[in-house]
């Protein structure tokens, strides 16, 4: 075990070129813009995906996503970014955003185009969104108005 350690040991001097973390705090080193072994594995993955610099960090030291959410670790930011659309997604029928939707489902325009509620209605055979009145309440075919679709 000591022999393996000695091959990689730099006396604790190595730091990631982007996030400044120590080798012991990360799961390994990877290539970056300055050459092999210059970034931690998380920053290297971002570099290979097209990032040109370190992730944004707020005043509290948390990592920021383009959608506005914050994360304790760069790994958590990476997991989130795989599915994040930057707050641009809207349901094709009711126009709710991804934060208000309980999930995404298939619709007439393809997969993940409707929120879970509208996708449920689409799978049940409905071919249009629920109507709303002037107050923003959901209307039934009988004319009654409701605050929610549930």
């Amino acid at each position: 075990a000591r022999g393996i350690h000695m091959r990689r040991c730099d006396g604790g001097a190595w730091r990631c070129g982007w996030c400044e973390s120590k080798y012991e705090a990360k799961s390994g080193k990877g290539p970056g813009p300055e050459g092999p072994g210059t970034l931690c594995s998380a920053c290297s993955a971002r570099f290979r995906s097209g990032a040109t610099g370190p992730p944004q960090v707020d005043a509290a030291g948390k990592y920021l996503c383009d959608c506005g959410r914050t994360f304790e670790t760069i790994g958590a930011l990476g997991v989130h970014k795989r599915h994040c659309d930057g707050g641009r997604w809207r349901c094709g029928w009711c126009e709710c955003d991804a934060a208000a939707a309980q999930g995404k489902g298939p619709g007439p325009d393809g997969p993940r185009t409707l929120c879970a509620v509208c996708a449920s209605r689409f799978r049940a055979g409905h071919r249009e969104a629920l109507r709303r009145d002037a107050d923003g309440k959901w209307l039934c075919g009988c004319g009654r108005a409701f605050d929610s679709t549930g």
Side-chain angles (χ1 to χ4, degrees):
R2 182 178 180 272
I4 293 171
H5 169 81
M6 291 301 289
R7 274 186 252 144
R8 295 190 180 125
C9 183
D10 63 359
W14 184 87
R15 298 248 193 250
C16 173
W18 283 2
C19 69
E20 300 291 322
S21 63
K22 290 184 175 182
Y23 178 75
E24 295 81 27
K26 299 295 180 170
S27 59
K29 299 177 189 176
E34 304 297 320
T38 57
L39 298 178
C40 67
S41 57
C43 289
S44 180
R46 292 186 75 249
F47 171 71
R48 289 190 308 271
S49 295
T52 58
Q56 294 178 324
V57 180
D58 67 4
K62 294 186 178 185
Y63 296 97
L64 296 170
C65 178
D66 299 335
C67 70
R69 290 187 58 191
T70 60
F71 299 90
E72 294 286 332
T73 65
I74 194 170
L77 173 65
V79 169
H80 168 78
K81 281 223 170 223
R82 283 188 211 121
H83 303 289
C84 181
D85 65 356
R88 293 179 299 275
W89 184 88
R90 296 271 187 249
C91 173
W93 281 2
C94 71
E95 298 185 7
C96 70
D97 64 6
Q102 298 170 355
K104 298 174 187 174
D109 297 328
R112 300 173 58 86
T113 56
L114 298 179
C115 68
V117 173
C118 291
S120 169
R121 289 180 42 79
F122 175 73
R123 285 191 297 271
H126 298 273
R127 295 294 173 238
E128 62 183 19
L130 284 171
R131 293 177 293 128
R132 287 185 169 185
D133 65 9
D135 297 327
K137 294 188 177 192
W138 301 100
L139 295 174
C140 177
C142 69
R144 273 186 69 192
F146 298 90
D147 290 327
S148 70
T149 60

